[in-house]
Amino acid sequence: MTDVTAGTTTYRQALHDGLRDALAGDERVFLLGEDVGRYGGSFGVSRGLLDEFGPERIRDTPLSESAFMGAGIGAALGGMLPIVEVMTVNFSLLALDQIVNTAASLSHMSGGQFHVPLVVRMTTGGGRQLAAQHSHSLEGWYAHVPGLRVLAPATMDDARWMLAGALRDPDPVVIFEHGSLYAMEGPPPGPGPVDLDHAAVRRAGTDVSLIASSQAVHVALAAADALAEEGVSAEVLDLRVLRPLDTEAIAATVGRTHRAVVVDEGWRSVGLSAEVSARITEHAFYELDAPVARVCTAEVPLPYAKHLEDAALPQPRRVVAAVHAMGLGG
Amino acid sequence: MTAAPDGVGLLRAMLRIRRLEERCIELYSAGEIRGFLHVYIGEEAVAVGVMQALTPEDDVVGTYREHGHALARGIPARAILAEMLGRQEGCSHGRGGSMHLFDAGTRFFGGNAIVGGGLPLAVGLALAARMRGERRVTACFFGEGAIAEGEFHEALNLAALWRLPVLFVCENNQYAMGTALERSESQTDLVLKASSYEVPAWSVDGMDVEAVAAAAAEQAAMVRGGGGPCFLEARTYRFRAHSMYDPDLYRSKEEIARWTARDPLALQTAVLREEGALDDAGLAAMEADVAAEMDDAVAFARAGTLEPVEDLERFVLTEVPAA
């Protein structure tokens, strides 16, 4: 974490700082997961924390996703504030039962008697040639489930501060960190906190709304740069919070631009982009000058070969092409 | 720690479960209880015996066959029956039903209908106790069917690795729904499986309530003393089908008769008579008391109110502000 230009930081460092702060600020907070301790976190986010906080609070687990997720849930019920790290969203499927059937259900199922103040952090996304079992974007699966809050930090500020907000939430929160963003450099984050309820306009525009989250926000921003050169003014809306979705912000941006392209690294079918598109139809249909367009990952398990992976993932040129197809620029 | 179990109290606790569930069957047949109903009849000695070893500060994790666990833990029959009738006076506000009885006051964490799902939860409750410096024990009930799930192995490994205070109680009633143990496990010695995780483990006659109580007391003391988890296999049998939907075609009448001859209530009654601790009059008085309690509970549940539909979406997220 020293390979950074002076005056800048990385997304990884911002996450690390948020985690360190959380551990220092509350004795009830602890981290558990595979390789979070001695190894330093499979993506280096927790490096150094074992020395500072000790093995009770930086707790390496066996490769037992279901058991350590359940242990996190039980510990949350028992009065702790656990942060469970899962290496990738793909592996989290081994813990999906615990997350959906227990963490998300317990409050309602118990008539509001029990609460699960659990935070789950996991990596998501492709772009690193890791092939199908390490690259998927299943945020939409989690965003489908009542009882969870689902966050997707795309910026340095969100990487730094979302965790603190998540730990204040008495209910389970799942935070998706995009694998391709860890090395992203940028100016140090501002002072927190950040809110966990609202989407954010990352670039204002008047002709078309590019609605995205996580790494796709950066795809949308690159597309907006390219469109600006053609004289098309694109607004970029970062959803930030995938559950509950900020319907008002989605409707508002469409109200300003009258056109929308949803950019989503998930698959198109039955996914997050479908939900956003439906919200636009429900809440801003009469604002639309064109059908909502979607740029998603191709309907394939992500391939290893770079040219195929690139072709499968949303790219700025595909977003630009979608805007051209609406009759703008080109 | 609790005092040495009182034999009459043990019988009474089992009788309350038996009579409660007989009422449940009646209410189910009358259409007043719906959904899945899994009764515990025949297995009462396990919940009652184990609960003797616990204090009010301890945690309990049950299964979907948990009416007995819930009642033995101290949830009133009124709140249990009101839950089964879907009333807001129920212990889970009518949101849980038969399979999801919960009660914060008695530290009763379900009511879990995912086979094996409660085991990791128990590990976490014990982890929290350890980290907070509390001397609580977490008792986790599960059936022998859960041993085929990965979570059994993951949870035992984790609990043993971290020496957590969990009392794992396997209610081996021989059948996972309709599948007999020998048709689902290559190794049917469950104690051997638990022992492979370096967890002290032994079996007990699950029809003998005093034996269960003694074994649970011994294991709970070990767990409480910091020795890490223990595993108790209680060999038992459910006298009724898996659920009210189950035609029970997979067990022979002879086998059922062999086990019902060892009814835990009858066995304990015989012991108490032998000891001179209970006579016909005492037994009749106990029966009358329990019948009155259940009459009252049924009336309470029937008189319960339905939560307004406007409150449907309550409790999904926490309603009180975060601490």
Side-chain angles (χ1 to χ4, degrees), chain A residues 312-325:
Chain A
L313 291 169
Q315 304 292 349
R317 61 182 159 70
R318 286 175 55 201
V319 180
V320 170
V323 173
H324 289 171

Side-chain angles (χ1 to χ4, degrees), chain A residues 32 61 64-76 82 84-86 91-92 94-100 102-103 116 118-122 142 174, chain B residues 120-121 124 151 154 158:
Chain A
L32 79 164
T61 64
S64 299
E65 286 83 357
S66 187
F68 69 70
M69 186 64 68
I73 296 166
V84 177
E85 176 176 318
V86 184
F91 304 169
S92 80
L94 290 154
L96 198 55
D97 162 60
Q98 286 292 336
I99 298 172
V100 176
T102 305
V116 184
L118 170 78
V119 177
V120 181
R121 296 172 40 232
M122 61 177 97
Y142 289 94
V174 185
Chain B
L121 189 78
E151 282 178 318
E154 294 189 20
L158 209 54

Side-chain angles (χ1 to χ4, degrees), chain B residues 13 65 67 101 123 135 156 164 166-167 180 209 227 245 250 275 277 281 312:
Chain B
R65 193 183 301 286
H67 311 153
L101 305 175
V123 169
R135 289 179 59 76
L156 253 76
L164 297 175
V166 186
L167 176 56
V209 68
Y245 284 105
Y250 45 84
E275 289 172 351
L312 171 66

Side-chain angles (χ1 to χ4, degrees), chain A residues 56 59-60 62 64 66-67 70-71 74-75 78-80 97-98 101 107-111 113-115 147 168 171, chain B residues 91-92 95 100 102-104 108-109 114 117 120-121 124-125 127 131-132 151 154 158 162 312 314-318 322:
Chain A
E56 274 281 298
R59 193 172 274 269
D60 281 319
S64 299
S66 187
M80 300 297 287
D97 162 60
Q98 286 292 336
N101 281 320
S107 172
H108 187 78
M109 208 159 63
S110 68
Q113 290 181 83
F114 290 115
H115 308 287
R168 279 194 297 274
D171 298 308
Chain B
C91 60
S92 303
R95 299 300 206 283
H100 305 300
F102 284 92
D103 183 49
F108 191 76
F109 296 88
I114 304 296
L121 189 78
L125 283 162
L127 175 62
M131 294 184 80
R132 293 167 63 91
E151 282 178 318
E154 294 189 20
L158 209 54
W162 293 347
L312 171 66
R314 285 187 66 195
F315 310 132
V316 176
L317 298 174
T318 300

